[in-house]
Amino acid sequence: MTAATLAAEHEIVVARDRDEHAALAAELLGRAIDDAVRARGVARVALSGGTTPAEAYRRLAALALPFDRVEWYWVDERGVPPDHARSNHAAAARDLSLEGGRHGRAFRMEGERDLDAAAAAYEALLRRSFGVAAQVAFDAMTLGVGDDGHTASLFPGTGAVAIDDRLVAHAREQPEKKLEARVTLTTPVILEARLVVVLARGASKRGPIAAARTPGSDEEVPARILQRAKGRVVWVLDEEAAGRPAG
Ligand code: 6PG
């Protein structure tokens, strides 16, 4: 493993293999949970979907953490029912063993209903959880990066990345990419997180990650918003995604 400071509060960590990748991510998230519970009595964590986080979430669930003080939220959800094979809720609930509340309370996005209504309902839920007058600042958030430079469900060329008047938005269906409509946290919420752990593996992520870390249009590469993150951002990569060997 090697860590180098990129810019203020941005770090990149390169793992040797899948196991180390998952272990590093779980360690970062576990520490953030512990710190938040100690400082504020509760840890609020927003979970991204996709295939990459599964092992990290499984490792996290195996750590000795104050899970009765953890609240799980979602970064985004696909327009499918909660038990669907493409549901981000289903995947994280399985990997974190959330069934029965043993590992904390889960607050899912409702991908099975009208997605404008689902986005509005989730925004209201966030306001209630964090307090109406408070910033919605997650203690930790995981994010992925798509081959097209998207993060969360903020896809390039859709205008979603520029939404700044809502906490949660309906991301429209993209039939040309064969992508269903989704619900997603918006840029202002992502930028407010105390810790963002970006999880990426594989050579196809190298280009989008490099683009995300260089100046340019957010609309072309939505992951660029992380350059303006207010909290700590840690990129947890494998050697292929980083384009360099681990330590
Ligand atoms: C989703 C996401 C999405 C994901 C990236 C990376 O619901 O698909 O939350 O933003 O994190 O597409 O996905 P992979 O981990 O599968 O590469």
Side-chain angles (χ1 to χ4, degrees):
M1 181 205 24
T2 150
T5 302
L6 292 178
E9 301 293 317
H10 273 243
E11 296 148 62
I12 188 161
V13 172
V14 184
R16 267 189 200 89
D17 54 30
R18 261 178 114 100
D19 239 36
E20 191 179 50
H21 188 267
L24 289 167
E27 192 183 322
L28 281 160
L29 294 167
R31 186 162 304 178
I33 287 170
D34 246 342
D35 289 350
V37 170
R38 266 182 239 278
R40 290 176 292 281
V42 60
R44 299 192 175 98
V45 183
L47 301 164
S48 61
T51 52
T52 311
E55 285 134 309
Y57 291 170
R58 284 198 286 270
R59 292 250 187 177
L60 183 60
L63 297 179
L65 292 168
F67 284 112
D68 57 331
R69 303 294 186 85
V70 180
E71 296 180 359
W72 305 103
Y73 298 83
W74 271 259
V75 166
D76 60 350
E77 181 56 286
R78 290 104 181 250
V80 296
D83 54 355
H84 193 277
R86 283 188 56 72
S87 161
N88 286 340
H89 167 265
R94 178 197 62 220
D95 297 325
L96 285 162
S97 308
L98 296 183
E99 198 90 343
R102 193 165 55 91
H103 279 136
R105 296 180 69 195
F107 298 91
R108 70 176 186 87
M109 292 170 159
E110 299 170 299
E112 71 277 27
R113 67 190 282 200
D114 169 81
L115 296 184
D116 285 314
Y122 210 68
E123 173 145 352
L125 181 141
L126 293 179
R127 292 275 184 218
R128 276 197 305 277
S129 296
F130 284 82
V132 277
Q135 284 285 3
V136 173
F138 284 99
D139 297 300
M141 177 182 289
T142 55
L143 284 177
V145 180
D147 295 358
D148 62 358
H150 78 260
T151 193
S153 282
L154 305 174
F155 286 89
T158 65
V161 75
I163 297 173
D164 63 1
D165 60 348
R166 276 158 283 169
L167 305 177
V168 189
H170 169 184
R172 308 279 154 190
E173 182 187 4
Q174 297 177 82
E176 67 295 351
K177 288 189 179 171
K178 297 193 168 56
L179 287 176
E180 68 281 269
R182 297 167 178 214
V183 180
T184 184
L185 299 183
T186 56
T187 298
V189 182
I190 293 171
L191 297 186
E192 213 56 52
R194 292 189 165 92
L195 168 69
V196 174
V197 178
V198 190
L199 296 167
R201 285 194 311 252
S204 69
K205 303 292 166 97
R206 196 183 305 166
I209 289 167
R213 293 170 47 221
T214 50
S217 141
D218 291 351
E219 188 56 31
E220 276 169 28
V221 180
R224 283 199 176 113
I225 61 170
L226 293 172
Q227 293 175 24
R228 304 194 305 281
K230 297 182 188 164
R232 182 182 179 202
V233 179
V234 186
W235 298 76
V236 182
L237 310 177
D238 66 2
E239 298 183 334
E240 288 76 24
R244 63 175 167 84

